[in-house]
Amino acid sequence: MAAESLASPRRVSVKRKALEGYREFVGDELIAEVRGLAAEVRGLRVLELSATATGGGVAELLSSLVPLQRDLGIEAEWMVIAGDHGFFEVTKRIHNGLQGMDVDLSGAEREEFLRHNEANARALEGHWDAIVVHDPQPAAVRSFAPALADRWIWRCHIDSSDAHVPVWEFLRPYVELHDLAAFTLEEFVPPDLAIPTAMLVPAIDPITSKNQSLPDYLARRTVAALGVDVAEPLLLQVSRFDPWKDPLGVVEVWRRVRETFPTLQLALVGSMATDDPEAWRIYEQIERETAGERDCLLLTDQMGVASHEVNAFQRVADVAIQKSTREGFGLVVSETLWKGTAMVAGRAGGIPDQLQDGVGGYLADSTEQFSARVTELLEDPASASQMGDAGARRVREHFLLPRLLRDHLAVLRNILAEGNGAR
């Protein structure tokens, strides 16, 4: 199949948002700082290019970031690349390889990756001042259509600090054609990357249906309708069904804690991204492992679970868990802490930045530690509540969307300024 015959990228429609609606959450100083930066780049044409419009942190970030850029006078667009099942099987393997998994990409897989990138590049029309390419799926687009933009940014949301060398060596030449690479944390930057870098720490949107205020009675009624017994304790993990989130490890923690709390329920709630064909295989594996256990709920957006219902779960849970073994940032940690719910989470990626040990909950390194800490929080709900409140305050101070918008605008201003990022 020729590259030109593949499907084309599509524009993503977004709801309108106004920066002014965030003033009550972040205060006057940050709002003024954002507006000052926006004045310097007003009229800028920016394209955000990603692999999926639903399911996962990147899509959630862009669904808020793009309309806020428009509100500030930036001509921002969001487009999603086209790809078939085979392409996304390859890109998930590349994703896993960047996170350190021993992945052997065949010649045919490399060709599949490049063929789809070329098709998407050839199908893009127009010209932008800057194109922000998100994650590995569209990382080679720039190599096939460099004239589409004056400046190109590769935004890596993955922990690539210990990338599998053959995978990184395949991807690196395409990444290095960009003018700048933006990462979540300094330690994620591969040591041999030969282009300038910047840091963009993610943040949550406090006014979306997933994060807005929800009365306790309504939250409890919502999760009860989805099968939770609100009279009994609930342990929750919200995440994609992904091996790096260790959902089977969560099941093991739940079983251990049930030795002390026999009526403890477990809810594993996740979304299914179109660019992640591995997710259903993981889901089915968990389903087989927990077959016949009524107190274990597996729920996805493909079953009709909406974002406001995820909000309710995060508010009603007695303890939340994030048993990630590798993590780009783990935005669900800030989402959960924002609701005042205590957590036990792995020391992976950006999680320790959001959840300091003893502030918002605990960090843990092993199944035994996770089990002990979850048990401790269930045994002392007053302490768990205090920790959750402290976690919510930290999210308010550091991880709300206007701060990310400020950082994003600063990166755009700097790379387009004369002499910055020029090649």
Side-chain angles (χ1 to χ4, degrees):
M1 181 186 297
E4 290 78 5
S5 68
L6 297 174
S8 300
R10 64 178 178 88
R11 281 181 171 78
V12 181
S13 298
V14 293
K15 298 176 182 178
R16 289 186 179 183
K17 287 182 180 286
L19 179 63
E20 193 60 33
Y22 297 82
R23 189 180 295 274
E24 66 177 290
F25 299 104
V26 300
D28 298 338
E29 184 177 345
L30 182 54
I31 295 296
E33 191 176 355
V34 171
R35 290 198 183 281
L37 280 166
E40 299 184 50
V41 293
R42 186 167 291 119
L44 198 69
R45 293 158 297 165
V46 177
L47 172 64
E48 307 280 353
L49 188 63
S50 73
T52 179
T54 58
V58 176
E60 288 192 9
L61 286 174
L62 292 179
S63 66
S64 294
L65 202 57
V66 169
L68 284 178
Q69 289 180 84
R70 291 177 179 174
D71 179 60
L72 294 169
I74 296 168
E75 295 180 25
E77 289 188 84
W78 176 17
M79 298 190 75
V80 170
I81 61 170
D84 57 21
H85 180 80
F87 171 68
F88 288 126
E89 286 281 4
V90 173
T91 58
K92 186 58 191 288
R93 284 169 57 73
I94 292 173
H95 174 110
N96 287 337
L98 286 179
Q99 290 204 150
M101 186 179 291
D102 188 348
V103 172
D104 180 22
L105 289 177
S106 68
E109 288 175 323
R110 295 172 189 231
E111 182 180 337
E112 182 84 352
F113 173 78
L114 295 175
R115 185 169 64 99
H116 279 79
N117 270 259
E118 181 179 7
N120 280 279
R122 303 296 185 211
L124 283 170
E125 297 179 350
H127 182 271
W128 291 270
D129 295 298
I131 294 180
V132 184
V133 176
H134 292 267
D135 280 335
Q137 296 94 329
V141 165
R142 190 250 177 241
S143 68
F144 295 109
L148 284 171
D150 295 333
R151 293 288 183 266
W152 292 75
I153 299 169
W154 186 57
R155 173 63 175 104
C156 181
H157 299 268
I158 299 169
D159 177 358
S160 51
S161 58
D162 189 28
H164 185 53
V165 172
V167 172
W168 173 237
E169 287 183 342
F170 166 67
L171 198 67
R172 181 162 62 95
Y174 303 103
V175 170
E176 289 183 343
L177 290 174
H178 294 72
D179 300 285
L180 179 84
F183 294 84
T184 297
L185 299 174
E186 287 276 2
E187 52 263 39
F188 289 177
V189 181
D192 58 351
L193 183 64
I195 59 173
T197 60
M199 299 305 119
L200 287 173
V201 179
I204 67 168
D205 187 339
I207 65 174
T208 61
S209 60
K210 184 189 278 190
N211 295 315
Q212 66 187 1
S213 179
L214 193 65
D216 180 65
Y217 82 89
L218 183 56
R220 293 171 67 83
R221 179 187 298 171
T222 299
V223 300
L226 291 169
V228 173
D229 183 347
V230 294
E232 301 296 345
L234 174 66
L235 177 65
L236 171 71
Q237 175 157 299
V238 175
S239 70
R240 290 182 295 108
F241 290 94
D242 183 289
W244 302 101
K245 315 296 183 183
D246 194 17
L248 291 176
V250 175
V251 172
E252 177 61 24
V253 169
W254 169 61
R255 287 171 173 164
R256 290 182 180 222
V257 177
R258 289 185 82 191
E259 295 174 9
T260 305
F261 291 90
T263 60
L264 179 66
Q265 301 163 96
L266 172 65
L268 294 171
V269 182
S271 58
M272 294 296 188
T274 55
D275 65 338
D276 187 5
E278 186 180 29
W280 280 113
R281 295 194 291 270
I282 299 296
Y283 177 90
E284 290 163 1
Q285 188 179 11
I286 302 165
E287 196 173 40
R288 290 192 298 271
E289 175 64 27
T290 60
E293 300 198 63
R294 291 184 55 207
D295 287 337
C296 180
L297 299 175
L298 301 181
L299 299 168
T300 82
D301 55 341
Q302 298 300 304
M303 300 172 179
V305 177
S307 56
H308 74 276
E309 292 169 322
V310 176
N311 187 345
F313 267 103
Q314 290 171 326
R315 293 180 184 278
V316 170
D318 295 270
V319 179
I321 188 171
Q322 190 62 37
K323 203 176 181 300
S324 300
T325 57
R326 294 296 288 270
E327 189 66 75
F329 187 69
L331 206 55
V332 69
V333 173
S334 282
E335 289 175 1
T336 306
L337 294 176
W338 180 240
K339 283 87 170 179
T341 299
M343 298 192 73
V344 183
R347 283 179 223 271
I351 290 177
D353 281 5
Q354 303 169 77
L355 175 64
Q356 297 179 329
D357 205 23
V359 179
Y362 295 112
L363 297 171
D365 298 304
S366 65
T367 298
E368 292 76 17
Q369 288 182 9
F370 272 94
S371 303
R373 288 304 199 182
V374 169
T375 300
E376 181 179 335
L377 290 170
L378 289 172
E379 288 176 335
D380 191 351
S383 177
S385 178
Q386 291 174 357
M387 285 189 179
D389 290 343
R393 289 193 295 272
R394 180 165 176 77
V395 172
R396 182 181 290 272
E397 292 169 4
H398 299 286
F399 301 112
L400 295 185
L401 188 64
R403 190 271 307 149
L404 172 61
L405 178 61
R406 178 200 65 192
D407 297 348
H408 184 74
L409 294 176
V411 166
L412 292 173
R413 178 198 62 186
N414 292 344
I415 198 173
L416 287 157
E418 186 177 354
N420 279 306
R423 301 178 65 83

